[in-house]
Amino acid sequence: MPTIIDLTLPLQDGLPALGRLARPVVIPHTTHEASKKFQQGTPEDLLTFTTFYLGMLDHTGTHVDALSHNHPDGATIDEMPVDMFMGKAVCLDLRHVGDRGDITRDRLEAAEQVAGVKVDGHIVLLCTGLNARHWPNDSICTNNAQVTADATHWLYERGSRVHGVEGPSTDRVDENIFENHRACRDLGMVHYEWLWNLEALVGKGEFIFQGIPLRIKGGSASPVRALAFLE
């Protein structure tokens, strides 16, 4: 049996979020005590229940962007092929890049050598240590590294159409340039954001990744349960 590593940020009320995006609302809707009024079951054996209310954007928590997020004619999340969100993967160690640093072509090549896995159509996860340095403070929203356009092309040249990062974005959002997002738009690539626990994958070589989106009609993204399967 493979070892399963959960790469998903726990979804909870008021998670840190970029200023232009809403924080999620995750609150009790019905409690076991309140549900007694419905008299489910029998007087001797009431069947109580609990439910939660979720109010959030499709870009909340650990999520994957749809092609339509930045391309007016791109496929929405429900139109994209499910097999795009699973497959062979590798996690590159880029913790030395630090806060607000640049993930460049040269740094990807060096990290590839250290990982011992040649990127060839892999889903590439980029461990920068952002969560370890900043979670759960709001500073996590402004200190992520920048995946440069040149680095994005490096991934594309190696057949990688999907990559993923810790934190809220592949770009330094406050600079308002979005060079990774623009490159992804032009190349037909997508990425995961707000991944969690990537340190557990550093040095593990190739593994199988799965992060299946919800089938949101017309969605520009979707929360996922991101998992790595290590042999």
Side-chain angles (χ1 to χ4, degrees):
M1 291 289 293
T3 299
I4 302 175
I5 306 295
D6 198 338
L7 309 177
T8 314
L9 177 73
L11 182 58
Q12 61 191 54
D13 187 56
L15 286 176
L18 294 171
R20 63 191 66 187
L21 301 178
R23 294 174 185 254
V25 176
V26 183
I27 55 176
H29 175 264
T30 304
T31 65
H32 280 284
E33 182 63 29
S35 73
K36 290 178 181 179
K37 65 184 178 184
F38 296 109
Q39 297 293 303
Q40 293 185 163
T42 67
E44 299 78 20
D45 183 17
L46 288 178
L47 180 67
T48 61
F49 64 90
T50 182
T51 58
F52 268 66
Y53 171 81
L54 309 180
M56 60 189 193
L57 300 182
D58 50 1
H59 292 261
T60 295
T62 304
H63 68 274
V64 64
D65 286 358
L67 292 167
S68 65
H69 177 46
N70 292 120
H71 196 307
D73 298 321
T76 58
I77 201 70
D78 56 308
E79 295 170 335
M80 294 173 66
V82 174
D83 59 7
M84 192 170 186
F85 308 108
M86 63 181 78
K88 63 181 182 179
V90 63
C91 183
L92 302 184
D93 188 358
L94 294 156
R95 288 175 288 184
H96 56 283
V97 172
D99 286 354
R100 298 183 65 84
D102 285 339
I103 298 174
T104 62
R105 173 184 290 261
D106 289 346
R107 283 175 162 165
L108 287 182
E109 288 180 347
E112 177 191 48
Q113 289 294 318
V114 173
V117 177
K118 182 176 175 58
V119 176
D120 179 20
H122 289 73
I123 295 169
V124 178
L125 309 184
L126 307 175
C127 179
T128 62
L130 181 71
N131 293 332
R133 291 193 299 273
H134 291 282
W135 184 262
N137 301 315
D138 286 347
S139 58
I140 198 169
C141 294
T142 55
N143 280 286
N144 60 283
Q146 171 70 56
V147 181
T148 65
D150 196 36
T152 309
H153 279 269
W154 183 91
L155 292 167
Y156 182 83
E157 290 161 9
R158 283 152 181 77
S160 177
R161 298 296 181 266
V162 182
H163 49 283
V165 298
E166 300 166 271
S169 183
T170 55
D171 289 299
R172 291 188 292 259
V173 173
D174 56 339
E175 296 177 358
N176 217 30
I177 303 299
F178 290 94
E179 57 181 289
N180 172 266
H181 279 74
R182 288 188 289 125
C184 286
R185 174 200 61 193
D186 297 341
L187 298 171
M189 299 171 67
V190 296
H191 48 254
Y192 290 85
E193 294 166 334
W194 284 117
L195 288 170
W196 189 255
N197 199 27
L198 293 186
E199 288 87 352
L201 300 176
V202 170
K204 299 299 184 182
E206 185 177 281
F207 54 90
I208 297 298
F209 173 86
Q210 178 176 296
I212 307 299
L214 300 174
R215 199 174 183 183
I216 302 171
K217 186 69 173 176
S220 70
S222 173
V224 305
R225 187 67 178 265
L227 303 171
F229 299 85
L230 279 63
E231 293 295 338

